[in-house]
Amino acid sequence: GGAVPLAVPIRDAILKAAPANVAPHVHIDILSRENDPGVVGPPTFESGLERQLRSAQPAGYDLLVYLGHGNVQPAHVGASPVGLLEFETEDGQSHDPRDSKKLSLLLQEYPVPVVVLMGCLTAAEVAAAMAEDVKRDFPQWMRGSQGVAQGLVNSESGVYATVGMRYNTEAEDAKLFLRRFFESLLTEDRGNVETAVRAARQALFKSG
C-alpha cells in the first residue's frame, strides 16, 4: 500500500555506488512483487526466503536485508512480547508473521553472516485512508523489528552482526541509510560493517 519502498530502485542505487572493479562481484537477488529480472521470488517465508537461501548453496549469501514491517505478539504473563517480521502470504493478500526463532533456525541451516532489518517503514505516498492506521501501528512495528534483531543476536543462528532500527523509520530515511551503508561497505572501508553502519547513521543525522 505504499508503506514499504520499492526494492528495485534501491538495488540499482547500490550497484551504481560500486566502483568498476567491484561491481562485477556484487550480486543482488530480490524477493518482491515488483516486475524486474532481478526479482527471484515473492516476499514469502517458505517459497521466497527459504527457497532462495537453499538455492544459493553452497556459497550462500554474505548479507540479507529485510525491508518491511515488524510486529509484536503478546506473550504469557510476565514474559516479554515476541518480535515478528511480516512476510507475505502466498497470494500476497495478507501478512505471514515469523518470529526470530523461526528465522534463526532457517539461518542455522543456511547461514548469512550479516542481517540488516529495515523495519517500521512508512512513506509520504501512503493513501490518506491508511495514514491513521500506519501512524497507530508505528510503535508496534518498531518493537517487532527490535525484538527480531535482538533475537538473532542472542541465538545460535550463525549471524555475526545484526543491524536493527531503534526509531520509527521513514521510507526516504531507509533508502538513504541503505545507499550510504553499501557505499561505505563497497568503496571505502570495504567489508567493514561497523564502519558502514556509522557512515549510514551520520548520513541520517546530517539529513535531519
Side-chain angles (χ1 to χ4, degrees):
V4 177
L6 297 175
V8 170
I10 295 174
R11 185 271 321 268
D12 293 344
I14 292 169
L15 293 176
K16 187 177 180 181
N21 63 327
V22 174
H25 305 287
V26 180
H27 180 83
I28 301 173
D29 291 322
I30 300 173
L31 298 175
S32 174
R33 304 281 176 183
E34 295 165 73
N35 184 18
D36 184 89
V39 174
V40 295
T44 59
F45 193 79
E46 278 94 4
S47 65
L49 181 61
E50 184 174 355
R51 181 191 61 79
Q52 193 58 33
L53 290 175
R54 188 188 309 117
S55 70
Q57 299 306 306
Y61 288 98
D62 297 302
L63 195 146
L64 168 66
V65 176
Y66 174 83
L67 191 66
H69 296 302
N71 213 328
V72 290
Q73 175 179 291
H76 298 295
V77 177
S80 299
V82 178
L84 307 167
L85 297 182
E86 299 280 20
F87 289 86
E88 289 185 10
T89 54
E90 293 297 330
D91 61 9
Q93 298 302 304
S94 187
H95 58 266
D96 178 22
R98 301 299 177 118
D99 61 24
S100 60
K101 184 176 181 180
K102 288 186 173 67
L103 188 56
S104 296
L105 289 172
L106 181 61
L107 294 177
Q108 280 184 35
E109 191 170 359
Y110 309 111
V112 179
V114 180
V115 175
V116 179
L117 300 177
M118 299 298 298
C120 184
L121 299 160
T122 188
E125 293 82 6
V126 173
M130 292 176 57
E132 281 304 311
D133 290 337
V134 169
K135 185 177 179 181
R136 180 200 64 215
D137 289 337
F138 247 6
Q140 187 166 318
W141 288 345
M142 182 175 64
R143 288 171 59 208
S145 298
Q146 288 175 340
V148 174
Q150 192 62 53
L152 288 177
V153 169
N154 293 344
S155 74
E156 297 179 1
S157 64
V159 176
Y160 297 143
T162 305
V163 182
M165 302 298 106
R166 292 196 297 164
Y167 306 102
N168 295 348
T169 309
E170 293 284 347
E172 290 304 316
D173 290 339
K175 289 188 278 189
L176 172 61
F177 183 95
L178 288 172
R179 189 163 59 245
R180 187 68 187 94
F181 175 85
F182 280 101
E183 187 176 60
S184 172
L185 197 68
L186 297 174
T187 68
E188 296 163 15
D189 194 355
R190 292 185 188 172
N192 191 320
V193 175
E194 289 188 18
T195 300
V197 171
R198 188 159 55 247
R201 290 182 69 181
Q202 288 173 347
L204 286 178
F205 180 79
K206 290 177 181 176
S207 76

